[in-house]
Amino acid sequence: GNSVTQMEGPVTLSEEAFLTINCTYTATGYPSLFWYVQYPGEGLQLLLKATKADDKGSNKGFEATYRKETTSFHLEKGSVQVSDSAVYFCALIPYLTGGGNKLTFGTGTQLKVEL
Amino acid sequence: SQTIHQWPATLVQPVGSPLSLECTVEGTSNPNLYWYRQAAGRGLQLLFYSVGIGQISSEVPQNLSASRPQDRQFILSSKKLLLSDSGFYLCAWSGGLSNEQFFGPGTRLTVL
């Protein structure tokens, strides 16, 4: 079946530090890959996505590259801010969904950024 | 533009009581609709999805049910709540050529 594995949190960083949150996946074919962010008490927002191998998704200074050879989609940001504190979810939609675009999520990684 | 609404925002219910959570989408037609649950300290689990009116697929066996009485309305229900039903319930929609899902603000349910 399909699955997504994320590094466990919480991850605590100082402001302006470099961020990496690891994500690997298991799926047949070429799934679409996503990073969602959940700020405290809110729903999920799409942060970025990539739909084919070697695609790079980017938004708000965050980047992730679809690596088919390592089945990975690691999230990176060069300089984090306190406002980036949130829970980050890696997710996939399989290439053939059989009806409905069903997301499979990782367990989420909590990021805390301190001054 | 499209918007998605969920209510109530928070709910505290006793064990054994019924449940009805509502989700509505505006600004789009014939969306795919989804219910997810996020238990405390855990990831998101897909509960139900719907590709059209009256069409419901259940992803996991549980104490909950879903209905889609109108094109842009998705309801999550239970006849008798369990303690384990506590969590954060998120509704989402997708549609058109994109497989991207858009999430509502969520409902936090506490069963006592």
Side-chain angles (χ1 to χ4, degrees), chain A:
Chain A
N2 303 310
S3 66
V4 176
T5 302
Q6 287 181 239
M7 61 188 291
E8 291 196 18
V11 174
T12 303
L13 296 174
S14 299
E15 202 169 41
E16 300 184 359
F18 184 86
L19 168 71
T20 300
I21 300 178
N22 290 336
C23 170
T24 57
Y25 67 89
T26 301
T28 55
Y30 290 85
S32 294
L33 302 174
F34 304 83
W35 277 101
Y36 280 85
V37 58
Q38 184 180 31
Y39 297 102
E42 299 183 8
L44 273 69
Q45 302 173 27
L46 178 66
L47 182 59
L48 53 83
K49 67 176 183 180
T51 57
K52 61 183 186 294
D54 299 325
D55 265 2
K56 177 184 283 188
S58 61
N59 186 26
K60 299 181 181 180
F62 291 89
E63 293 183 340
T65 301
Y66 190 143
R67 301 289 188 198
K68 180 67 175 175
E69 63 276 13
T70 54
T71 61
S72 65
F73 194 53
H74 304 322
L75 182 68
E76 296 181 337
K77 186 175 185 182
S79 176
V80 293
Q81 305 300 312
V82 172
S83 58
D84 293 326
S85 298
V87 181
Y88 292 82
F89 291 93
C90 186
L92 69 82
I93 293 177
Y95 179 64
L96 295 176
T97 62
N101 293 314
K102 295 179 285 184
L103 279 164
T104 296
F105 283 92
T107 54
T109 302
Q110 185 175 10
L111 170 66
K112 297 179 180 178
V113 181
E114 302 173 334
L115 290 172

Side-chain angles (χ1 to χ4, degrees), chain B:
Chain B
S1 64
Q2 301 89 1
T3 55
I4 178 168
H5 304 279
Q6 286 186 246
W7 64 90
T10 60
L11 189 61
V12 180
Q13 291 285 93
V15 170
S17 64
L19 173 74
S20 181
L21 302 182
E22 189 164 343
C23 170
T24 58
V25 181
E26 296 177 357
T28 187
S29 298
N30 195 32
N32 293 330
L33 296 171
Y34 311 83
W35 277 112
Y36 293 87
R37 176 170 59 201
Q38 184 179 23
R42 301 178 65 181
L44 286 93
Q45 181 183 40
L46 178 64
L47 303 176
F48 301 95
Y49 74 94
S50 171
V51 298
I53 296 175
Q55 300 179 60
I56 309 294
S57 296
S58 175
E59 289 295 297
V60 292
Q62 59 208 315
N63 183 43
L64 302 169
S65 62
S67 62
R68 185 170 177 175
Q70 300 181 43
D71 181 44
R72 291 169 288 178
Q73 184 185 32
F74 205 23
I75 297 172
L76 184 69
S77 304
S78 174
K79 293 182 179 179
K80 289 185 177 182
L81 284 168
L82 306 172
L83 287 174
S84 57
D85 291 325
S86 293
F88 192 48
Y89 289 82
L90 288 160
C91 182
W93 74 273
S94 69
L97 298 176
S98 171
N99 57 8
E100 179 179 336
Q101 289 187 23
F102 301 89
F103 285 78
T107 294
R108 185 161 303 282
L109 171 66
T110 303
V111 182
L112 301 175

